[in-house]
Amino acid sequence: MSGKIDPAVQKCIAALQAAKNDTEKMAALFLVTKVVKGPKLNKESRLALFEAIGFKFLLRLLRSPSTAECPALLYKSVSLSVLTAFCADPSIAQSPEMLEAIPIFLEIAESVDESNEDDDQLLMVVSEAYHCLKCLASVKKGRLALVKTGAIKRLCDVYSKGAFSSEDSLGVIKGVAVGLGSKMWDGNPDSFNDLMDKISLQFEADQSEQKFELAEVMASIMLSYNMNAESVENAFWTHSIHKGLVDILTSKITEKQRNPAIKLASAMLTTLGIDWMKKCASEEGQSTQFLVLLVHLSCIETRMTLEDRSLDKILSKDDLIGACYGIIETIVKYMSGNTAEDMDEKQREQIFQSLKGAYGAILCFINLIRKECERNPKKFWDAKKKLLAIASVRCLAGWLAEDSHSMKEEVFKQLPFVLALVFEAFLDAEDEQSAESLVLAEQGKSCEPLLPPILCQLLPALCRLTAEERGVRMLIDAECTEMLNRFLTHNWSVYKNLKDLLERKSRPGKPGKKPVKKEGEPDLSVDEIRALLLRLRAAIMHTSNLFINISILDPVSINDDAATFTQIMRWAFTALPSLTGEDELILVCNVSSLGLLILLSVIRKATDAQKEGKTLPPEEQFAASRLISGGDNAVFKFGQSVIRFVWDAHLPDETQSPTVLGLTSNYRAVWADIKEMWFLSLQTVGALMELLPWLADFAAESGFIEALIKNLSLVYKSLIDASTLAAYEEFFCSAARSAPNAANIMKTKGAALAASHHLRALTKALKGEEVKK
């Protein structure tokens, strides 16, 4: 190493090592302060010199009181001059000694007031202390230590007082916000509001270039916000920011001035939602025109940045693109709901056309990324390119979830690459799971979900795209089914465990007795558990829908990938009976349909093989025989749950005259979401009853078939929805052709219904005639 160290640096090291006491070492430091600011201090020299100085000695200088020979400020000045030269090195910035010095740096930053703000030496020391704090904010251990020591609140107070170099305190806060996110405000939400009040007031009033610098800072801080939108509904700063943004974006400005405003608007919309902007606009006597303008600006910026640009030029603006994506995603979500009634048809059309142009540019960018990857895979998969590609797919996913028909051909061209990108993100998420979580997952005890954001956001869009055969084929060709199965089963295990945890936490405890925490149990509040259960339920529901689409449009794949689909079927068998909550009906519908479709395929394969004299592999034959005989307890419980699900949908309402066939209250609330799947489940149950005698017997013995006949008999045919009546008639025809118990009920009870409701297909089925389907 000595060969790499400059002679001047070696001279300093020798002087430090020769020092016999602190006084001599202090003298040597004056020589060091000149060397460290020169160009000759490479990494090897810097580390060797720092080791020779010793951190403990520097800390001692920072803490030293004034003496007759030397004032304390001089000790601090010398120590900080050295530290500022070294703490840019991450290994030094996050060393235990540097973290230990945080309270000292904060005391120095707080030491300036009106009485000493003309002291040039003190101001220099304060600036150097801030430099050290900024270096700490640039490394993970430093950020965590700053939060732990209460530095955030103290820095917010410094900025609020407007003391010397208080803008540097804002720089430290921004650094922590960017690197640590919402954790920085744990325990002191008031500091966030106080800080935002101060900055936003300046932002609103300032008409200099500082206005745009403040916009950049507030955008970073807003993205670390960790409270609900309602908690700041009437906060002063939300209105100030809105006024400042309107001031900027409705004025003639340069690109350099516009971009910070777009980033801040994106951060506000992403965090607080469009209701924030609508409320502020309403109170200021404005319409939704500013929101429309903001969307147009974001879409134009997206097109200008992504269209006909090289990849390097695009990447240089990745933060601006991300901000535009945030605005676009928010408006798409807003427009897809029923909350945009305050916009007229012309505004809606304007926004739609702007969005269409932006999404065309995003598809072009994804195509550019795909070509880059094909040419040079290793060069493509660096972090920056991958993050922007994933952000682009995430933004596109929101649009496709609502409108899969626009630009459909362009979307399908990019879908194989998108799938490869998304499922690589899934594999990365699997790799990031802790070893403890993986062990608990294998045991079915994990409470750590596997929810890579990009996959969860794309699932609703995939459900729409796989409503077509080519979408299903692309999903299968991308070999995604096995990964989706892992995604499904892992998150189901977590869902089940969190439900148990929620039940335990909601249960009243014994006075004075602390609840016992189980192995692997997360530290989550009841509200956090409920929110996570919602996300898990959505992920499981959408994944089930994907497998349903595959089962309907490409049933051959069930046999081609028998191992995966058998696992999914077994999962449905065990999952459905445990779904008993009132808020789980949509999930019940999906799991029921999925399990039934795969079961029907497996049974048909076995029965067809038997008819054709073919022999299935021993394991398949054994499993199929147990399913057919009802000897498999899991499939029997599944069958019971399915019958209960299709049974509970309709009841005759005899309080009305004449009687109508109405939906039960639980089903009415979600009927728009489950209607098609309910019909599919009823149809598939009927088909299975002809193949599984035990299922037909259960339908008869439980009173299900008789109850359906009675319910329909009480209602005039003209008062029953045609599609509902047709579905029940098809089911009755299947029951008439099934096991004796069910067939006898149909013959004795169903004939009158067939006659009164003119059910021709049922009449033929009861006579044993073939019914055309």
Side-chain angles (χ1 to χ4, degrees):
M1 180 182 280
S2 59
K4 297 180 181 179
I5 299 176
D6 186 86
V9 177
Q10 289 180 338
K11 184 178 178 182
C12 288
I13 292 173
L16 288 164
Q17 292 172 340
K20 296 176 182 178
N21 52 48
D22 283 358
T23 303
E24 292 181 9
K25 204 166 189 177
M26 177 76 170
L29 276 187
F30 285 105
L31 181 62
V32 172
T33 55
K34 295 178 181 179
V35 173
V36 295
K37 294 177 182 177
K40 299 176 181 179
L41 197 67
N42 57 27
K43 185 175 181 179
E44 290 81 3
S45 299
R46 184 169 60 249
L47 292 174
L49 185 56
F50 194 74
E51 188 177 337
I53 297 168
F55 220 133
K56 290 183 179 179
F57 174 65
L58 293 173
L59 287 177
R60 216 161 45 242
L61 285 180
L62 283 173
R63 294 189 179 107
S64 294
S66 296
T67 63
E69 297 81 15
C70 186
L73 192 60
L74 181 58
Y75 290 130
K76 288 180 172 63
S77 177
V78 174
S79 178
L80 284 168
S81 293
V82 176
L83 284 174
T84 53
F86 289 105
C87 65
D89 187 318
S91 62
I92 293 174
Q94 54 194 346
S95 63
E97 293 86 356
M98 193 74 175
L99 304 182
E100 186 184 333
I102 288 175
I104 303 173
F105 298 146
L106 290 170
E107 286 173 14
I108 294 170
E110 295 167 330
S111 62
V112 180
D113 55 35
E114 293 181 359
S115 64
N116 56 20
E117 60 184 9
D118 294 327
D119 187 332
D120 291 342
Q121 188 176 16
L122 173 62
L123 300 184
M124 178 61 71
V125 169
V126 170
S127 295
E128 289 174 332
Y130 273 123
H131 178 83
C132 293
L133 288 169
K134 286 178 182 176
C135 290
L136 283 159
S138 69
V139 293
K140 185 176 180 180
K141 285 184 179 179
R143 292 189 288 267
L144 291 170
L146 284 166
V147 172
K148 188 176 180 181
T149 56
I152 303 303
K153 184 180 186 310
R154 293 171 70 176
L155 289 168
C156 288
D157 290 342
V158 168
Y159 184 78
S160 295
K161 291 173 184 174
F164 168 76
S165 205
S166 59
E167 65 275 5
D168 286 327
S169 66
L170 209 54
V172 180
I173 294 167
K174 178 185 174 183
V176 178
V178 170
L180 203 58
S182 62
K183 291 181 181 178
M184 71 177 291
W185 303 109
D186 287 349
N188 52 153
D190 290 342
S191 295
F192 177 90
N193 282 316
D194 293 343
L195 179 66
M196 291 300 289
D197 277 344
K198 176 73 174 179
I199 309 176
S200 64
L201 189 60
Q202 288 179 268
F203 172 68
E204 180 188 349
D206 201 309
Q207 295 302 320
S208 69
E209 286 300 311
Q210 189 184 17
K211 189 182 192 78
F212 309 103
E213 295 170 10
L214 291 172
E216 287 266 15
V217 172
M218 284 195 293
S220 299
I221 294 175
M222 269 310 301
L223 292 174
S224 70
Y225 177 79
N226 67 341
M227 291 161 278
N228 58 51
E230 290 76 18
S231 66
V232 294
E233 188 175 351
N234 297 310
F236 168 79
W237 56 267
T238 62
H239 298 271
S240 290
I241 290 176
H242 184 264
K243 289 177 183 176
L245 286 172
V246 172
D247 182 31
I248 293 174
L249 295 175
T250 56
S251 303
K252 188 175 180 180
I253 49 176
T254 64
E255 178 184 345
K256 188 178 179 182
Q257 295 167 328
R258 181 178 64 247
N259 293 352
I262 289 176
K263 292 176 189 176
L264 177 57
S266 176
M268 291 292 289
L269 286 173
T270 302
T271 310
L272 301 180
I274 282 181
D275 285 344
W276 152 73
M277 186 171 283
K278 287 172 59 182
K279 186 173 187 294
C280 290
S282 174
E283 292 179 0
E284 293 162 22
Q286 300 171 3
S287 65
T288 56
Q289 195 57 45
F290 178 64
L291 175 60
V292 176
L293 170 66
L294 182 60
V295 174
H296 285 322
L297 286 174
S298 302
C299 291
I300 291 168
E301 194 64 49
T302 300
R303 295 185 66 175
M304 289 176 61
T305 308
L306 298 181
E307 287 180 345
D308 303 320
R309 296 286 188 275
S310 69
L311 193 53
D312 288 338
K313 283 187 177 179
I314 293 171
L315 290 171
S316 68
K317 290 190 172 183
D318 59 341
D319 56 342
L320 176 62
I321 298 169
C324 291
Y325 284 176
I327 294 170
I328 290 170
E329 288 175 66
T330 304
I331 193 67
V332 167
K333 187 177 180 182
Y334 175 68
M335 298 290 286
S336 65
N338 297 317
T339 54
E341 67 281 350
D342 49 349
M343 288 187 181
D344 59 40
E345 195 59 39
K346 184 179 178 181
Q347 288 177 324
R348 287 169 175 270
E349 181 61 26
Q350 287 175 340
I351 288 178
F352 177 79
Q353 292 303 327
S354 292
L355 290 171
K356 192 173 180 181
Y359 280 112
I362 291 170
L363 281 166
C364 287
F365 172 68
I366 291 173
N367 186 48
L368 178 67
I369 286 280
R370 177 182 64 80
K371 290 179 178 177
E372 170 82 7
C373 181
E374 289 170 354
R375 281 195 300 268
N376 194 338
K378 290 184 180 178
K379 185 180 178 183
F380 167 68
W381 292 118
D382 68 62
K384 199 170 185 180
K385 292 177 184 176
K386 193 170 181 179
L387 282 173
L388 187 54
I390 286 175
S392 300
V393 171
R394 182 201 69 212
C395 188
L396 182 64
W399 171 269
L400 294 178
E402 301 302 330
D403 181 12
S404 60
H405 297 292
S406 295
M407 301 176 291
K408 183 167 64 174
E409 296 306 316
E410 293 86 344
V411 170
F412 274 117
K413 284 179 186 176
Q414 307 307 328
L415 187 56
F417 173 71
V418 167
L419 290 172
L421 182 67
V422 169
F423 282 99
E424 180 162 324
F426 169 74
L427 293 173
D428 290 343
E430 276 192 325
D431 292 340
E432 289 168 8
Q433 291 259 304
S434 64
E436 180 187 9
S437 175
L438 291 173
V439 172
L440 290 170
E442 289 176 6
Q443 298 171 346
K445 297 177 181 178
S446 176
C447 285
E448 185 178 340
L450 182 60
L451 295 171
I454 183 59
L455 175 55
C456 294
Q457 287 159 339
L458 189 65
L459 281 174
L462 285 178
C463 289
R464 282 179 168 266
L465 293 170
T466 53
E468 293 188 32
E469 287 186 25
R470 58 176 168 169
V472 167
R473 180 40 53 190
M474 286 179 183
L475 196 66
I476 293 170
D477 289 344
E479 300 179 348
C480 300
T481 51
E482 201 273 331
M483 284 183 280
L484 283 169
N485 179 34
R486 296 205 304 270
F487 175 78
L488 179 68
T489 52
H490 178 102
N491 288 315
W492 167 254
S493 173
V494 175
Y495 180 80
K496 191 172 56 173
N497 293 331
L498 286 176
K499 274 181 65 179
D500 292 342
L501 177 59
L502 180 62
E503 185 184 349
R504 290 201 305 275
K505 281 183 171 283
S506 303
R507 197 183 301 150
K510 293 182 179 179
K513 187 175 181 181
K514 192 176 180 181
V516 179
K517 186 180 176 184
K518 294 187 176 181
E519 180 187 9
E521 189 175 291
D523 292 319
L524 296 172
S525 68
V526 167
D527 288 341
E528 287 172 327
I529 295 172
R530 286 184 177 134
L532 188 50
L533 284 172
L534 279 175
R535 291 176 58 208
L536 286 163
R537 193 152 60 231
I540 294 166
M541 180 187 73
H542 291 311
T543 312
S544 299
N545 276 343
L546 282 181
F547 283 119
I548 288 169
N549 288 348
I550 294 172
S551 302
I552 293 172
L553 296 176
D554 192 6
V556 175
S557 61
I558 297 177
N559 295 330
D560 292 343
D561 192 5
T564 298
F565 279 90
T566 299
Q567 288 177 12
I568 296 167
M569 180 181 71
R570 303 303 307 186
W571 165 77
F573 288 175
T574 57
L576 187 62
S578 66
L579 293 170
T580 56
E582 290 185 5
D583 55 352
E584 293 176 326
L585 189 53
I586 297 176
L587 191 54
V588 166
C589 182
N590 290 324
V591 176
S592 170
S593 299
L594 177 57
L596 286 168
L597 287 168
I598 302 175
L599 176 61
L600 181 60
S601 179
V602 170
I603 298 302
R604 279 179 173 167
K605 181 182 178 182
T607 54
D608 289 347
Q610 187 178 20
K611 288 176 185 176
E612 296 167 10
K614 295 179 181 178
T615 305
L616 294 175
E619 289 184 5
E620 268 191 65
Q621 184 61 50
F622 176 74
S625 64
R626 283 176 56 78
L627 293 174
I628 293 169
S629 67
D632 186 322
N633 191 48
V635 74
F636 188 79
K637 288 184 177 180
F638 172 76
Q640 289 178 311
S641 298
V642 167
I643 295 291
R644 175 54 59 189
F645 162 63
V646 293
W647 189 346
D648 286 347
H650 296 97
L651 278 177
D653 185 356
E654 297 184 69
T655 62
Q656 296 193 43
S657 181
T659 301
V660 297
L661 188 70
L663 289 165
T664 54
S665 58
N666 285 352
Y667 285 68
R668 192 184 308 119
V670 296
W671 189 245
D673 297 310
I674 71 170
K675 180 179 178 180
E676 290 184 12
M677 290 294 181
W678 180 85
F679 283 127
L680 178 62
S681 291
L682 183 64
Q683 179 187 43
T684 313
V685 167
L688 280 166
M689 282 170 56
E690 297 183 49
L691 300 171
L692 302 176
W694 62 265
L695 183 60
D697 286 341
F698 177 75
E701 292 165 6
S702 64
F704 172 52
I705 298 174
E706 197 168 341
L708 292 186
I709 294 171
K710 181 182 176 182
N711 289 346
L712 294 181
S713 298
L714 292 170
V715 183
Y716 291 126
K717 178 185 178 180
S718 59
L719 296 178
I720 302 174
D721 173 71
S723 58
T724 303
L725 184 60
Y728 278 126
E729 182 179 15
E730 185 179 350
F731 171 80
F732 290 142
C733 290
S734 295
R737 293 189 294 267
S738 60
N741 283 351
N744 288 337
I745 291 174
M746 288 308 307
K747 287 175 183 176
T748 57
K749 307 281 187 179
L753 176 67
S756 65
H757 285 60
H758 310 296
L759 304 179
R760 295 178 183 179
L762 180 55
T763 300
K764 288 183 178 181
L766 292 173
K767 292 178 180 178
E769 298 176 19
E770 190 66 29
V771 179
K772 291 183 181 180
K773 295 185 179 180

